[in-house]
């Protein structure tokens, strides 16, 4: 349990609009809801060989790769996240039937070098992880709502999980980081997409390419096609809005297509 540095994967999950949800429930109702929600989420993380770091109110922090080594820690983390979202979808009608509000969560996952071990003070110690890679995982959870997706993983996680399919969402600079990172939404295991989903993924890849090449007309055409086919998908509308902006405001010569987040 002493301090060590190793490549690991961290996961952060958070209930959206939790402050509003908690204000509408009595203390007993809120406690019961959190227990009913946390129990299946924790079970999934354990089944995928994850370690619960801590509960932070409605948030869960977990990691893979310690204390026992796990060569497929990134894949286990992403599979856990996919199962967490699928399980919550199944639980949502039951929660609402009991008078609970509709729950949605965002999950951020990142893989990288982390420091792990017993950390704290002489009064209290905790087995936890720290480092830039951990901080980025937290930032990725925070921007899931900006793209309207349930899960975002960093590029290191996507590279470490070749058996999974991803949609690249963007290249971003999160608050506190100078180096841009590509961010991805996991869609499932390889071979799990139907023909319509595969076509939609190819169209979005074409949109990203045209957008980064500043081919606004082509990018707008792809974005409009995707919005028409899937109007509930927020990320398509997001790019349509960005393209409209850049058609009126030409980006600077050194524009690299990276979106900069000013807040956490």
């Amino acid at each position: 349990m002493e301090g060590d540095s190793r490549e690991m994967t961290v996961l952060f999950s958070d209930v959206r609009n939790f402050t509003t949800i908690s204000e509408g429930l009595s203390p007993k109702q809120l406690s019961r809801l959190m227990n009913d929600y946390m129990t299946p989420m924790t079970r999934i993380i354990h089944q995928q060989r994850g370690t619960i770091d801590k509960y932070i109110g409605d948030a869960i922090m977990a990691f893979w790769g310690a204390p026992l080594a796990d060569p497929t820690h990134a894949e286990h983390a992403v599979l856990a996240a996919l199962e967490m979202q699928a399980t919550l979808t199944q639980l949502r009608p039951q929660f609402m039937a009991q008078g609970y509000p509709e729950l949605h969560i965002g999950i951020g996952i990142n893989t990288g070098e982390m420091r792990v071990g017993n950390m704290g003070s002489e009064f209290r110690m905790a087995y936890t992880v720290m480092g830039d890679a951990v901080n980025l995982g937290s930032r990725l959870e925070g921007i899931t709502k900006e793209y309207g997706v349930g899960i975002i993983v960093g590029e290191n996680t996507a590279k470490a999980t070749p058996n999974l399919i991803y949609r690249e969402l963007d290249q971003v600079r999160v608050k506190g980081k100078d180096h841009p990172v590509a961010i991805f939404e996991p869609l499932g295991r390889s071979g799990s997409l139907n023909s319509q989903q595969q076509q939609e993924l190819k169209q979005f890849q074409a949109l990203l390419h045209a957008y980064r090449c500043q081919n606004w007309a082509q990018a707008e055409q792809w974005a409009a096609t995707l919005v028409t086919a899937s109007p509930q998908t927020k990320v398509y509308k997001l790019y349509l809005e960005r393209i409209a902006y850049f058609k009126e405001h030409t980006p600077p010569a050194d524009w690299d297509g990276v979106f900069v987040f000013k807040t956490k």
Side-chain angles (χ1 to χ4, degrees):
M1 309 297 275
E2 294 181 352
D4 188 18
S5 181
R6 64 177 78 174
E7 183 185 273
M8 299 171 57
T9 298
V10 68
L11 175 150
F12 289 87
S13 75
D14 192 61
V15 177
R16 291 177 177 157
N17 302 316
F18 181 70
T19 300
T20 302
I21 291 172
S22 62
E23 289 175 347
L25 298 174
S26 70
K28 287 185 178 181
Q29 287 176 318
L30 183 60
S31 177
R32 191 178 304 116
L33 173 60
M34 284 296 95
N35 292 342
D36 290 346
Y37 160 71
M38 291 287 193
T39 297
M41 299 299 110
T42 300
R43 184 178 296 115
I44 291 167
I45 290 169
H46 286 166
Q47 289 172 344
Q48 289 292 344
R49 301 183 61 180
T51 299
I52 297 291
D53 186 305
K54 59 178 69 75
Y55 302 125
I56 314 167
D58 60 296
I60 301 173
M61 177 181 174
F63 54 81
W64 280 256
L68 299 179
D70 179 4
T72 55
H73 51 83
E75 182 170 323
H76 282 135
V78 178
L79 290 176
L82 289 167
E83 190 174 349
M84 289 167 70
Q85 291 287 4
T87 298
L88 183 58
T89 299
Q90 296 171 358
L91 290 173
R92 199 172 288 127
Q94 301 176 30
F95 286 168
M96 296 179 71
Q98 298 176 54
Y100 298 141
E102 188 172 350
L103 287 190
H104 294 273
I105 60 174
I107 300 176
I109 299 175
N110 192 47
T111 300
E113 196 76 11
M114 303 174 192
R115 287 171 288 284
V116 60
N118 278 331
M119 303 179 195
S121 69
E122 62 182 71
F123 300 100
R124 180 171 180 175
M125 302 291 291
Y127 188 70
T128 187
V129 288
M130 294 183 179
D132 287 343
V134 179
N135 297 337
L136 179 56
S138 178
R139 298 289 187 271
L140 296 182
E141 182 280 315
I143 64 175
T144 54
K145 62 178 77 73
E146 304 295 332
Y147 294 87
V149 299
I151 309 168
I152 289 181
V153 310
E155 55 187 312
N156 288 342
T157 304
K159 290 176 182 177
T161 51
N163 295 324
L164 299 174
I165 301 174
Y166 293 92
R167 169 166 55 191
E168 182 180 356
L169 296 172
D170 207 353
Q171 291 182 345
V172 302
R173 287 187 184 90
V174 298
K175 185 173 176 59
K177 302 289 183 183
D178 294 327
H179 182 67
V181 295
I183 59 173
F184 299 81
E185 177 192 11
L187 302 177
R189 294 181 184 270
S190 297
S192 64
L193 301 188
N194 58 39
S195 57
Q196 181 179 346
Q197 291 171 320
Q198 292 176 19
Q199 180 183 11
E200 192 173 321
L201 180 59
K202 290 180 180 178
Q203 290 175 335
F204 187 70
Q205 290 169 340
L207 161 61
L208 275 186
H209 179 72
Y211 173 81
R212 290 167 180 168
C213 292
Q214 301 186 42
N215 186 343
W216 308 125
Q218 185 65 62
E220 186 175 43
Q221 182 178 343
W222 282 120
T225 299
L226 287 165
V227 168
T228 301
S230 183
Q232 75 282 2
T233 304
K234 183 177 180 179
V235 68
Y236 301 155
K237 297 178 182 179
L238 177 72
Y239 273 96
L240 199 58
E241 292 170 359
R242 287 188 190 177
I243 292 163
Y245 175 84
F246 283 128
K247 287 178 69 176
E248 297 295 328
H249 307 83
T250 303
D254 61 349
W255 184 74
D256 55 5
V258 175
F259 187 82
V260 179
F261 282 92
K262 302 295 185 181
T263 59
K264 296 182 180 180

